[in-house]
Amino acid sequence: MKLILVVFLFLFNSAKVNQPVRDKLDWLEINLVSEKIQNESRPVIIDLYTNWCYWCKVMDKKTYSNKKVIDYINNHFYAVKLDAETKGVVKWKNKDYQYNNNYKVNEFAMYVTSGQLSFPSTIIIPDMNSAPIAIAGFMEPKEIESILKYFGEGAYKKQNFQEYQSKFKSTW
């Protein structure tokens, strides 16, 4: 009887380990977002990071792997993960952004942060006619919730963020 129980527990635990991970963000290439937005308008969220940034890695593990964050972003945003130091050409709104040797970053990173580079930075572009909004620094899921919902639910069209946040009730 004990042997059957041990085999059963082993098989049960093995089945849990082998289950495919379904809860991931649908990261898109920045160059594809312009096409997608033409079919369905959504805000864009950009995780602007560097490979050497410790807090960028923490945000990946704590925030961007949180199920509620994943579900909300996947359903309300076009999500882009962009290395600020990419040497590849970044295309956005019919403009090509190149790597800048003087600053050691891509010019797109300079554009979306208005030259105030900080890593990680969460960039929100509410719509194609809006300027990017850069939020510098690491954020826990509960800290990013009000920002995501402010833009994801379109509240930014009706009220300023301080007003929205003063009435906001966190559910995460």
Side-chain angles (χ1 to χ4, degrees):
M1 184 69 167
K2 287 182 185 178
L3 179 62
I4 293 171
L5 183 58
V6 169
V7 170
F8 176 74
L9 287 174
F10 176 77
L11 290 173
F12 179 74
N13 284 332
S14 296
K16 282 174 51 178
V17 171
N18 293 330
Q19 289 178 347
V21 178
R22 294 179 43 233
D23 296 327
K24 289 188 176 182
L25 277 166
D26 297 331
W27 296 114
L28 299 168
E29 295 290 325
I30 187 75
N31 304 340
L32 299 175
V33 172
S34 296
E35 295 172 24
K36 289 214 169 250
I37 265 183
Q38 300 304 322
N39 296 332
E40 181 185 354
S41 181
R42 288 185 184 189
V44 177
I45 183 169
I46 301 172
D47 174 28
L48 190 65
Y49 73 97
T50 62
N51 289 324
W52 51 261
C53 168
Y54 170 78
W55 287 107
C56 298
K57 292 174 176 74
V58 174
M59 194 150 170
D60 278 343
K61 287 182 181 168
K62 270 194 130 174
T63 307
Y64 291 128
S65 63
N66 178 284
K67 181 162 177 20
K68 290 180 179 180
V69 172
I70 291 167
D71 287 344
Y72 196 85
I73 290 175
N74 282 344
N75 288 318
H76 295 87
F77 288 83
Y78 292 117
V80 175
K81 187 167 204 53
L82 185 68
D83 182 353
E85 298 175 323
T86 185
K87 292 187 175 162
V89 175
V90 175
K91 295 177 184 284
W92 180 253
K93 292 174 80 171
N94 299 319
K95 185 172 180 186
D96 291 351
Y97 294 86
Q98 309 288 332
Y99 181 77
N100 185 312
N101 279 316
N102 294 330
Y103 294 102
K104 306 292 186 220
V105 295
N106 192 290
E107 292 169 345
F108 186 75
M110 298 288 287
Y111 163 67
V112 295
T113 62
S114 299
Q116 303 298 308
L117 293 170
S118 180
F119 307 109
S121 282
T122 302
I123 312 299
I124 305 287
I125 304 174
D127 57 58
M128 290 301 280
N129 298 317
S130 298
I133 300 160
I135 302 132
F138 168 79
M139 288 184 280
E140 296 269 353
K142 65 182 178 200
E143 295 169 311
I144 201 171
E145 179 185 9
S146 62
I147 295 166
L148 293 176
K149 290 182 176 177
Y150 177 68
F151 291 101
E153 295 168 6
Y156 72 94
K157 296 175 187 174
K158 303 171 200 144
Q159 59 187 325
N160 67 43
F161 184 68
Q162 290 76 18
E163 211 179 320
Y164 177 82
Q165 196 168 29
S166 70
K167 298 172 186 165
F168 182 77
K169 301 286 185 232
S170 177
T171 59
W172 298 354

